[in-house]
Amino acid sequence: QVQLVESGGGLVQAGDTLRLSCAASGRTLSSYTMGWFRQAPGKEREFAAAISRTGVNTYYADSVKGRFTSSRDNGKNTVYLQMNSLKAEDTAIYFCAASTRTGAAGARNPYVMAYWGKGTLVTVSS
């Protein structure tokens, strides 16, 4: 089994930067496509960003493209989400998830994710 723990969330102002981390235990993350999903108050959980097993390919929702960057350090068994130019609409609980599938379908679809973290709260004030 894989356990995922997100960290790095907090309260920031619009335009600020945060970096979220997702640390894994149980198994190495190198075997998994890693996705970031978020759920804002009153809304459905949505895809935000993802990264392939080796880090060669990244995927982003249109709402975050150009502002967020997904990366990973398999040696540290950790993935990251760099969030720049944060907006109030980025306020959400951010979840890290792992999938054994590859490609865009394996990265963007929350229903194929095998493991989930409990989330970290990001609050952006305007």
Side-chain angles (χ1 to χ4, degrees):
Q1 300 295 314
V2 176
Q3 293 79 45
L4 304 173
V5 180
E6 304 94 338
S7 62
L11 174 62
V12 297
Q13 294 183 326
D16 284 354
T17 294
L18 281 175
R19 188 179 76 160
L20 305 183
S21 298
C22 175
S25 62
R27 293 187 64 183
T28 59
L29 285 185
S30 60
S31 297
Y32 299 92
T33 298
M34 299 299 299
W36 289 95
F37 298 81
R38 64 185 186 179
Q39 187 166 20
K43 295 185 177 180
E44 298 292 322
R45 189 173 299 185
E46 66 177 9
F47 168 78
I51 188 166
S52 63
R53 291 177 295 176
T54 63
V56 172
N57 298 314
T58 54
Y59 313 90
Y60 301 98
D62 289 342
S63 58
V64 308
K65 185 175 293 185
R67 299 187 298 117
F68 290 11
T69 302
S70 181
S71 63
R72 68 192 302 160
D73 186 339
N74 287 339
K76 295 182 178 180
N77 223 27
T78 302
V79 296
Y80 306 94
L81 184 65
Q82 180 73 32
M83 305 186 296
N84 298 330
S85 301
L86 283 163
K87 304 175 180 179
E89 51 262 44
D90 294 320
T91 295
I93 299 174
Y94 284 73
F95 299 90
C96 175
S99 173
T100 58
R101 299 190 182 186
T102 60
R108 295 175 178 267
N109 190 348
Y111 297 103
V112 303
M113 296 295 167
Y115 305 101
W116 291 84
K118 292 184 177 181
T120 185
L121 177 63
V122 172
T123 302
V124 184
S125 63
S126 60

